[in-house]
Structures are given as structure tokens and as C-alpha cells.
Amino acid sequence: MPAPAEKDHVYKILELVGSSEKSIEDAIQNAITRASKTIRGMKWFEVVQTRGHIEDGSVRHYQVALRVGFTLEG
């Protein structure tokens, strides 16, 4: 759910999937860091799915699907 909105803002929602060999938190940060290179005004995120890859009985990769809200300009 979006954070409390400032008056009269309109948000667009973008779906991202981040991945990491380290952790779920790192997968989230990887997605947001990469998106911030081209998307301005990101305000909130919501984790909608977590999953991972298992190899030889161990977790090898974490994947996290996010919905990211950002403010529309103009």
C-alpha cells in the first residue's frame, strides 16, 4: 500500500524483479538501485512475490518481485 500521499500527487506503478546471491534484502536493493538510474521520484515499494533458486540442496539465488510507486512529473 502506498505511503501517505502529499496533496494532489499522482503516482505510477512499475513492476520490477531484483535478484541476489546474498539475500532477499539485497535483491530488493539491487532492483531499486538499478531503477533509480533512470526513474526519478520513486516514493515507495511493495514486495509482491519472493522466490529463489535451489542448487545441490542450497539456496543459490533470491528473486523478489516489487511494485514501485513514483510521482508523475508535470
Side-chain angles (χ1 to χ4, degrees):
M1 180 152 312
E6 295 180 27
K7 188 175 181 177
D8 297 332
H9 280 186
V10 175
Y11 294 93
K12 180 162 178 69
I13 296 173
L14 175 67
E15 293 186 357
L16 303 172
V17 176
S19 64
S20 171
E21 293 181 351
K22 296 178 187 175
S23 68
I24 290 169
E25 291 83 2
D26 197 48
I28 293 168
Q29 188 63 58
N30 288 344
I32 292 173
T33 298
R34 177 61 182 89
S36 70
K37 293 179 180 180
T38 57
I39 304 294
R40 293 185 306 273
M42 290 190 295
K43 298 295 183 190
W44 54 269
F45 73 92
E46 173 186 15
V47 174
V48 295
Q49 187 177 54
T50 56
R51 59 184 173 262
H53 173 79
I54 300 169
E55 191 176 299
D56 297 325
S58 295
V59 175
R60 293 295 180 208
H61 291 92
Y62 299 90
Q63 290 184 331
V64 180
L66 309 169
R67 288 175 21 152
V68 177
F70 61 96
T71 306
L72 293 177
E73 296 179 0

